[in-house]
Amino acid sequence: MRWSEIGGERCSIARTLSVIGERWTMLVLRESFRGVRRFEDFQQRTGASRPVLAERLRQLTAEGVLRRERYAEKPDRYEYRLTAKGLELYPVIVSLMSWGDRWMDDGSGPPVLLTHLGCEGPLAPTLACGTCGDPVTARDVRATPA
């Protein structure tokens, strides 16, 4: 199977990877959640080449993860904003960050700390059961084909 065909699989992980599974895409999403909206800022913050970045923004827009909005005319200038679909990727980004903080640390600690605005406490992602609220790990879950 070719990578370009992965989105046609009957697998939610494969379908998700067809949209966000490319490294530059993940960095664009990281910056989107940090408030970056303009092409030049994405380029500066990610280090992606102009053609690669343009293609990733086009794909994320086509998939409905980002929306393109004009903010200036003559010449037309656009910015990219997360949609509801894009905002729902936040737990994915935070979980990847948390994993990196734990397993890819270079000895200097986490580069970014998250604080819950509601209570000002440090934020650590936790997967919890939607029914009882208990935290869960991979050993607490059974995956059953639908």
Side-chain angles (χ1 to χ4, degrees):
M1 171 183 302
R2 293 187 173 142
W3 180 252
S4 61
E5 299 168 349
I6 198 88
E9 285 291 295
R10 181 156 164 69
C11 170
S12 296
I13 294 171
R15 290 175 183 169
T16 301
L17 287 174
S18 75
V19 176
I20 66 166
E22 196 277 329
R23 64 183 173 190
W24 293 112
T25 300
M26 294 305 291
L27 295 179
V28 167
L29 289 171
R30 176 196 69 190
E31 294 308 320
S32 293
F33 282 110
R34 292 179 175 174
V36 173
R37 294 184 177 147
R38 297 187 179 165
F39 187 94
E40 293 75 19
D41 296 329
F42 280 117
Q43 188 178 24
Q44 180 185 19
R45 303 274 303 259
T46 65
S49 69
R50 291 184 72 80
V52 166
L53 179 58
E55 178 60 19
R56 296 312 171 269
L57 290 169
R58 187 196 64 71
Q59 288 173 340
L60 287 168
T61 301
E63 288 290 342
V65 174
L66 296 175
R67 71 179 183 276
R68 190 173 176 235
E69 291 185 4
R70 186 171 52 204
Y71 69 88
E73 295 180 25
K74 297 180 184 176
D76 286 345
R77 299 269 185 195
Y78 295 89
E79 62 184 17
Y80 299 86
R81 294 178 175 255
L82 289 159
T83 63
K85 185 177 183 180
L87 287 167
E88 287 197 21
L89 287 167
Y90 190 68
V92 175
I93 297 293
V94 171
S95 293
L96 286 171
M97 187 180 89
S98 179
W99 185 89
D101 289 346
R102 179 177 169 119
W103 297 105
M104 305 304 290
D105 183 18
D106 62 3
S108 60
V112 174
L113 299 175
L114 300 177
T115 303
H116 178 231
L117 295 177
C119 70
E120 294 298 319
L123 182 71
T126 305
L127 184 61
C129 174
T131 302
C132 70
D134 285 353
V136 296
T137 68
R139 292 196 167 116
D140 302 316
V141 177
R142 177 180 54 246
T144 307

